[in-house]
Amino acid sequence: MHLIHVVLFAFLAGQGFKVSPGDLGENITTTGIDLLGLPQRTRMFIGGDVKLEITGLRNPCSQIENFQPGLLGAVVKKNDDGAVIRMAGIMAIVLKGGIVRTGDALRLQLPPLPHHALERV
């Protein structure tokens, strides 16, 4: 399962890209949550039934360039130390399926300490 934070679309629009929810293959778009900052194994509960476990950062491939040239470079960057920063959302496994509707409540349950930063999957 692929999740993207809605602020990514505004960021990309500022870079001159036209990307809408669903264009990058995400299953769920969220707002108000720092998805990229969640630790590995965070549990996410959506609506009354759905239960996910966050596994890592989405590692976009060259196919994203076929959608819009330059998009890969916009969502994968390097910081001043040379470390790769992936902004194309996160991946999760479905622990319990169900129906997700626009506006469903979303609740997070952090894993036990120590927390581990998300890595590419």
Side-chain angles (χ1 to χ4, degrees):
M1 167 122 352
H2 177 207
L3 297 93
I4 285 185
H5 43 295
V6 75
V7 295
L8 180 63
F9 303 121
F11 170 79
L12 292 173
Q15 304 286 314
F17 296 98
K18 186 175 188 281
V19 182
S20 300
D23 285 347
L24 299 180
E26 75 277 9
N27 306 96
I28 295 176
T29 304
T30 65
T31 186
I33 297 171
D34 178 12
L35 291 180
L36 304 179
L38 294 174
Q40 293 176 20
R41 300 183 54 225
T42 296
R43 298 273 171 104
M44 183 178 288
F45 303 87
I46 305 171
D49 296 322
V50 176
K51 181 178 176 183
L52 309 175
E53 184 172 285
I54 307 307
T55 57
L57 297 169
R58 179 184 185 205
N59 189 36
C61 66
S62 60
Q63 288 180 335
I64 202 168
E65 284 295 301
N66 296 333
F67 179 66
Q68 287 184 45
L71 192 55
L72 181 61
V75 296
V76 179
K77 299 193 175 283
K78 290 190 178 182
N79 67 13
D80 293 338
D81 298 330
V84 176
I85 301 171
R86 292 171 178 82
M87 300 181 293
I90 63 172
M91 301 302 289
I93 57 173
V94 178
L95 300 176
K96 183 178 179 210
I99 296 173
V100 175
R101 293 180 177 85
T102 301
D104 274 353
L106 191 148
R107 183 175 60 85
L108 300 173
Q109 179 184 40
L110 298 177
L113 293 171
H115 292 164
H116 301 282
L118 296 176
E119 297 177 6
R120 72 180 169 107
V121 292

